[in-house]
Amino acid sequence: MKQLKNLSKVSIFPLLFLFILSCGKKTPDNPTTTPPPSGSDADLKSLPKDNGGVQTAVYLNSNIPYGYFVYTPSGYTSNQANYPLLIFLHGLGEVGNSMTNPGDLNRLLAHGPPELISKKQWSPRYPMIVVSPQTTVSDFDATKVNSFITYIVNHYHINTHRIYLTGLSLGGNGTYNYVYNYPDGYVAAAIPLSAAYDKQLDYTKFKDTPFWTFCGGSDSPLHALTLTTSLINQTSNAVKAKLTVYPGVGHDCWDITYTGSGMGSEDKNYDPFNMSIYDWMFQYSK
């Protein structure tokens, strides 16, 4: 793990496709970049400025693990550069099946990065591809998430050294669960929100992935997340896991986190919200 100082193909044979999806992080079809040198963000600075891209719906079908929205920055189609990837895992209220009801996919636009993109309020420091999968059940299975990321890596121009994972509530638990099951998988840094993760498992599996967790001070998962963060930090992790808490805030702490408007309102007894979560992600590569 490196910390910087600064910031559609369709398978012909369904069985072959399922075999490919079952594999781990192996051999993407598109060439990736070499790992960015320690202390350099040159790979990010070299990307074309994002002047407003396109968010596209991809409905669930038999060839993909999830239906999803994908945001590609402006200039993406004419530019062969590989982009950072942000995977956003939604909450329970956004569960749906766009194969049987295509309108279900629009539920993903209610919160988080896909909402900001739809409202033209998306402006991280550097351009990135944003993919928001929709689960049809009340769970984000780690194996399925890994297969989905593999699919995205094989179908878009992705810098595989800069893949980031975030999620709220149900998706926050899915974020923890993915890294636990794939500690050597794709993710370079993770931001779970309003999760209730306290599995008392082998926390050494988290030691190589930077975590920054957010939670409302009046939200029931706070105790579990405090314990989880403490147990992660008892391992020999290279980067200290962080927990930021908003006093008096309930379960919905995601709007003020993804927009950054919660900066300065956090509980001083926990980690400060002193930088954009996207800038924080960009510090890390894998």
Side-chain angles (χ1 to χ4, degrees), residues 153-176:
V153 165
N154 283 330
H155 288 74
Y156 298 88
H157 296 297
I158 304 300
N159 179 344
T160 56
H161 301 289
R162 294 190 179 278
I163 296 179
Y164 308 109
L165 183 62
T166 185
L168 61 89
S169 192
L170 173 72
N173 288 335
T175 299
Y176 276 114

Side-chain angles (χ1 to χ4, degrees), residues 204-269:
T204 61
K205 292 189 176 184
F206 295 116
K207 68 183 180 66
D208 294 323
T209 303
F211 272 90
W212 190 0
T213 301
F214 290 80
C215 188
S218 300
D219 196 8
S220 56
L222 178 57
H223 174 74
L225 293 176
T226 301
L227 178 60
T228 293
T229 304
S230 174
L231 291 172
I232 291 174
N233 285 329
Q234 289 175 25
T235 69
S236 57
N237 53 316
V239 179
K240 177 181 177 291
K242 302 202 298 180
L243 173 61
T244 295
V245 176
Y246 303 105
V249 173
H251 195 50
D252 181 356
C253 78
W254 44 82
D255 288 337
I256 59 177
T257 301
Y258 286 120
T259 63
S261 61
M263 286 189 195
S265 66
E266 71 275 13
D267 189 326
K268 306 308 179 187
N269 294 310

Side-chain angles (χ1 to χ4, degrees), residues 96-115:
N97 188 331
S98 61
M99 180 184 291
T100 57
N101 185 6
D104 282 2
L105 201 64
N106 289 328
R107 295 175 184 173
L108 295 177
L109 303 178
H111 303 294
E115 179 193 21

